[in-house]
């Protein structure tokens, strides 16, 4: 578990990474002060503008130190989320940043292991993969079946494919937000 101080540092890192990248086109080198931010961890960075999604990109697997993951995913959320045009410097003041630090993925055998609102969900089948963060289901008021259907759709699958040979993984997230 990260502390609130760690979370504030991650949010500062994310905002600096986006600001520096949009102003200079280069990825900043950031040295975190907290040793907890040096451990490898997966994370998603979500950008919101007036409470509407403006970008969200993440790394599921803990392949990089958390601080570097946040730098990379913050820049990606601002510039490479295919659902949105790249963020403009003029939009920076209107953006709220949320960071979800992920637990390791756990493969499940039965959907009864999923706790809606507590678990995020990753599905894979063939070349298709989709992920929904825990706060998506609770924010939308979804039940378990709806959560499963939407993660299938996010992966480009039929909404019932979770029943037919897909692999399901759960994870939890510690969430830090500028709000």
């Amino acid at each position: 578990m990260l502390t609130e101080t760690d979370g504030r540092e991650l949010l500062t890192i994310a905002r600096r990474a986006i600001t520096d990248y949009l102003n200079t086109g280069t990825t900043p080198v950031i040295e975190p002060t907290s040793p907890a931010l040096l451990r490898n961890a997966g994370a998603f960075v979500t950008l919101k503008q007036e409470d509407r999604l403006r970008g969200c990109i993440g790394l599921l697997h803990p392949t990089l130190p958390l601080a570097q993951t946040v730098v990379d995913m913050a820049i990606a959320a601002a510039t490479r989320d295919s659902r949105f045009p790249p963020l403009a410097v003029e939009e920076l003041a209107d953006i709220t940043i949320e960071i979800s630090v992920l637990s390791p993925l756990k493969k499940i055998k039965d959907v009864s292991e999923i706790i809606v609102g507590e678990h995020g969900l990753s599905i894979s089948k063939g070349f298709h993969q989709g992920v929904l963060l825990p706060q998506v289901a609770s924010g939308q008021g979804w039940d378990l079946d709806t959560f499963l259907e939407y993660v299938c759709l996010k992966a480009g699958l039929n909404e019932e494919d979770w029943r037919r040979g897909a692999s399901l993984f759960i994870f939890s997230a510690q969430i830090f937000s500028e709000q």
Side-chain angles (χ1 to χ4, degrees):
M1 292 291 289
L2 298 171
T3 66
E4 285 301 315
T5 302
D6 294 333
R8 283 192 300 278
E9 185 172 358
L10 284 174
L11 290 164
T12 299
I13 287 169
R15 184 158 292 276
R16 179 175 161 212
I18 294 168
T19 301
D20 287 2
Y21 188 85
L22 293 180
N23 283 312
T24 68
T26 60
T27 301
V29 175
I30 296 175
E31 298 293 330
T33 59
S34 172
L37 307 185
L38 297 173
R39 69 173 174 82
N40 287 8
F44 274 69
V45 176
T46 302
L47 306 179
K48 294 183 181 177
Q49 193 171 38
E50 298 176 6
D51 287 328
R52 288 189 321 268
L53 184 64
R54 181 58 177 84
C56 183
I57 302 263
L59 183 65
L60 279 174
H61 302 285
T63 57
L64 295 170
L66 179 56
Q68 187 62 52
T69 297
V70 167
V71 167
D72 294 348
M73 296 307 105
I75 291 169
T79 63
R80 293 191 295 277
D81 187 328
S82 61
R83 299 170 291 182
F84 304 96
L87 191 67
V89 173
E90 300 78 36
E91 293 178 276
L92 277 171
D94 299 326
I95 294 298
T96 302
I97 299 171
E98 179 180 277
I99 298 169
S100 301
V101 180
L102 309 183
S103 70
L105 297 178
K106 176 188 170 200
K107 188 170 184 174
I108 61 170
K109 296 182 188 312
D110 191 278
V111 297
S112 65
E113 297 177 63
I114 301 167
I115 302 171
V116 176
E118 181 177 321
H119 291 136
L121 194 52
S122 174
I123 189 169
S124 61
K125 183 176 181 182
F127 294 107
H128 298 274
Q129 182 178 6
V131 176
L132 288 173
L133 296 171
Q135 60 268 40
V136 173
S138 56
Q140 296 295 322
W142 292 342
D143 62 12
L144 178 58
D145 286 339
T146 305
F147 191 25
L148 288 160
E149 290 168 5
Y150 272 92
V151 78
C152 287
L153 296 173
K154 180 93 184 268
L157 297 167
N158 177 292
E159 62 187 22
E160 294 290 319
D161 276 346
W162 63 270
R163 298 177 190 272
R164 296 187 283 270
S167 295
L168 290 168
F169 301 85
I170 56 173
F171 59 90
S172 59
Q174 192 173 3
I175 301 164
F176 301 99
S177 179
E178 290 179 329
Q179 283 185 321

